[in-house]
Amino acid sequence: MKKLVLKTAFVALSALFTLNANANTSAPVANKEYIQVKETPSAQKEVLEFFSFYCPHCYDFEFQYKIPSTIKAGLDKDVVFKQYHVDFLGRQSESLTRAWALAMALGVEDKVKTPLFEAAQQDSIKSMEDIRAIFLANGITAEQFDGGINSFAVSGLVNKQAQALKEFNVRGVPAFYVNEQYQLNLDGFSDSRSTSEFVQRYIDAVLFLVKK
């Protein structure tokens, strides 16, 4: 009986804490946590992340803090989540941008993202042949890679990434844009008291702006 009472009290306190935490969650502040870059939002609700396989902060966002995957999991079904690779960081960045376009075209982003990140972080990618070997080692056939890497569809996705990069004037990564209207401002979260608070505030801000 005593254990039952304690368990009931614990559940009640947990629920109360959750309610208080939600109640204390504040909306992100304009010109601090985010910046408006366009007057009108995109027709399709979306979250777009610009990243580089060479970027250590992008690596941490992806694997240590799991920010992209948590954001994606928190989006409604009608919201698109996209990741575009930038071509201005690292000596094989242009090849990696094309490789990422191929991954998007084949729908194999989840198969190659981790090994591409790890290889780039170790600076072990010296040519497109090294990238090809990574794709083949992770379930993509030689026919798929060789037939797709310079295809019209993949070249179109390369251009789409480059155009978006230019349109938003991206100068650093990771960079998140919401509905083509708002840009998250990393410096605006610098007053977080801990890494976990920063991560949660960042994720919450993105999800809030999607519905704004």
Side-chain angles (χ1 to χ4, degrees):
M1 183 66 180
K2 186 177 180 181
K3 289 183 178 180
L4 179 59
V5 171
L6 289 173
K7 183 177 180 181
T8 303
F10 177 77
V11 171
L13 285 171
S14 297
L16 180 60
F17 177 79
T18 301
L19 287 172
N20 287 336
N22 290 336
N24 292 331
T25 300
S26 57
V29 179
N31 300 317
K32 182 178 181 288
E33 284 97 347
Y34 72 94
I35 302 166
Q36 183 169 328
V37 294
K38 286 186 179 181
E39 288 295 324
T40 57
S42 54
Q44 167 70 59
K45 288 186 176 183
E46 66 172 39
V47 175
L48 169 60
E49 178 197 5
F50 290 96
F51 78 102
S52 169
F53 288 115
Y54 286 106
C55 167
H57 300 300
C58 299
Y59 183 93
D60 288 342
F61 262 48
E62 187 74 43
F63 300 109
Q64 183 174 350
Y65 309 139
K66 302 186 185 303
I67 290 175
S69 60
T70 304
I71 289 172
K72 186 176 181 180
L75 297 174
D76 292 337
K77 292 181 179 180
D78 63 334
V79 183
V80 176
F81 181 82
K82 299 185 292 189
Q83 290 179 299
Y84 284 174
H85 192 265
V86 302
D87 60 6
F88 57 70
L89 187 63
R91 55 185 171 180
Q92 290 297 322
S93 60
E94 291 185 4
S95 294
L96 282 166
T97 296
R98 180 166 289 277
W100 187 243
L102 175 60
M104 288 192 287
L106 294 176
V108 296
E109 299 99 311
D110 290 343
K111 289 185 177 181
V112 300
K113 183 188 294 180
T114 298
L116 287 175
F117 254 119
E118 291 176 347
Q121 292 294 302
Q122 296 165 9
D123 197 26
S124 62
I125 298 176
K126 309 301 182 184
S127 68
M128 185 62 86
E129 281 302 309
D130 293 329
I131 295 172
R132 182 179 186 272
I134 291 172
F135 272 69
L136 267 58
N138 288 277
I140 290 79
T141 67
E143 290 77 15
Q144 285 176 311
F145 187 92
D146 296 338
I149 194 65
N150 292 309
S151 66
F152 180 80
V154 167
S155 294
L157 286 172
V158 170
N159 292 334
K160 191 172 184 179
Q161 292 175 93
Q163 289 169 2
L165 188 67
K166 184 177 180 180
E167 178 183 354
F168 290 107
N169 195 30
V170 178
R171 290 290 180 265
V173 288
F176 278 76
Y177 292 81
V178 178
N179 297 339
E180 297 184 0
Q181 188 176 21
Y182 305 112
Q183 176 186 0
L184 275 293
N185 178 30
L186 279 172
D187 290 340
F189 300 87
S190 61
D191 58 348
S192 298
R193 292 166 294 182
S194 65
T195 300
S196 59
E197 181 182 322
F198 160 78
V199 170
Q200 192 60 58
R201 285 177 61 196
Y202 197 93
I203 292 169
D204 287 346
V206 172
L207 297 178
F208 176 89
L209 292 171
V210 170
K211 298 179 179 180
K212 183 175 168 63

